Amino acid sequence: MFGFGGNVTKAHVVGVAVGVGTAVAGYYLYKKNKTKVDAFLKSQGINIKSSCNSVDYENMSVEALTETKEHIEDILAERELNGNVCEACEATAECK
């Protein structure tokens, strides 16, 4: 049914090439407009998780910084309740 013996036509090759090209163009446009796209998705209720390295704390609003701080405090409180307390957490916020 899915054999490769002579069943691949020019239309298949063109379709794959167009599909790959469209995916690459979409990825490039997303990366170029990442902040706008993520802001739009967030306004629609879809939160995109990103790595901590890409967070720009310097340009965040006071409200966003406060939300981030409260989230970190919640995580620390949960860890303290679960018995995962380490002394260095208070100074470095890196409890493993």
Side-chain angles (χ1 to χ4, degrees), residues 63-74:
E63 181 180 319
L65 285 169
T66 304
E67 288 177 8
T68 304
K69 176 186 166 197
E70 290 173 357
H71 179 68
I72 292 170
E73 288 172 347
D74 291 343

Side-chain angles (χ1 to χ4, degrees), residues 73-87:
E73 288 172 347
D74 291 343
I75 292 172
L76 289 171
E78 285 180 20
R79 289 188 178 182
E80 287 176 0
L81 287 175
N82 292 332
N84 296 335
V85 179
C86 65
E87 299 299 323

Side-chain angles (χ1 to χ4, degrees), residues 23-90:
V24 168
Y27 181 75
Y28 171 76
L29 290 173
Y30 169 72
K31 283 299 198 181
K32 185 176 178 182
N33 300 304
K34 187 174 187 331
T35 55
K36 292 178 185 176
V37 172
D38 289 349
F40 171 76
L41 292 174
K42 188 173 183 178
S43 72
Q44 300 297 316
I46 302 170
N47 292 325
I48 303 297
K49 298 208 180 227
S50 61
S51 66
C52 292
N53 297 335
S54 66
V55 177
D56 186 14
Y57 294 112
E58 295 294 325
N59 294 324
M60 288 176 74
S61 67
V62 173
E63 181 180 319
L65 285 169
T66 304
E67 288 177 8
T68 304
K69 176 186 166 197
E70 290 173 357
H71 179 68
I72 292 170
E73 288 172 347
D74 291 343
I75 292 172
L76 289 171
E78 285 180 20
R79 289 188 178 182
E80 287 176 0
L81 287 175
N82 292 332
N84 296 335
V85 179
C86 65
E87 299 299 323
C89 287
E90 295 173 5

